[in-house]
Amino acid sequence: MKLFFTVGLGGFFGAICRYSLSLAIPNLGGFPFATLCINLLGCLCLAWLFTAFTKRTPIVIGIGTGFLGAFTTFSTFSLETLLLLQHHEWLQAILYITSSVVGGLICAWLGMHLARRLTA
């Protein structure tokens, strides 16, 4: 029961943070810059968290699965990509997909690397 509470509480705050950041970061020229930044930041933080704290305590799960799970958004990424494709913004769609996937992997790698340096 404690895990459900921490995941739910983390999800509540993660969703609010994502929504607030999506309002604060402008989408430039129709490119979904806000979602890209949010997802890249989430990749970095999740990799850092789960590398630095290998023991899955309720707090770690609340932050990782709850907060960061609600903070990042694959569904918005998918919808925004589909909308770009429907509006024949092929180059922006390809750039968005590439920067999200490759950038996400790079940010996750960076998060792991930073956590390992911190705990070494």
Side-chain angles (χ1 to χ4, degrees):
M1 197 62 172
K2 186 188 245 182
L3 283 177
F4 284 102
F5 177 74
T6 58
V7 169
L9 188 63
F12 174 78
F13 287 110
I16 289 173
C17 284
R18 174 165 49 96
Y19 181 69
S20 298
L21 272 178
S22 72
L23 295 177
I25 301 172
N27 287 331
L28 304 173
F31 187 82
F33 192 67
T35 305
L36 176 64
C37 290
I38 288 166
N39 284 339
L40 293 178
L41 181 61
C43 289
L44 181 118
C45 291
L46 186 65
W48 181 87
L49 178 74
F50 282 168
T51 303
F53 300 95
T54 55
K55 186 176 179 187
R56 299 294 187 258
T57 65
I59 291 175
V60 171
I61 292 173
I63 294 170
T65 303
F67 182 86
L68 292 170
F71 181 71
T72 59
T73 174
F74 186 75
S75 57
T76 302
F77 160 73
S78 299
L79 177 63
E80 290 170 340
T81 302
L82 184 62
L83 291 172
L84 287 171
L85 293 171
Q86 285 181 337
H87 290 103
H88 305 287
E89 299 288 345
W90 307 105
L91 185 59
Q92 285 195 25
I94 291 169
L95 180 63
Y96 188 39
I97 293 167
T98 304
S99 59
S100 293
V101 174
V102 175
L105 289 170
I106 291 170
C107 286
W109 174 84
L110 184 61
M112 289 178 74
H113 184 71
L114 290 173
R116 286 180 181 150
R117 291 190 101 194
L118 184 70
T119 58

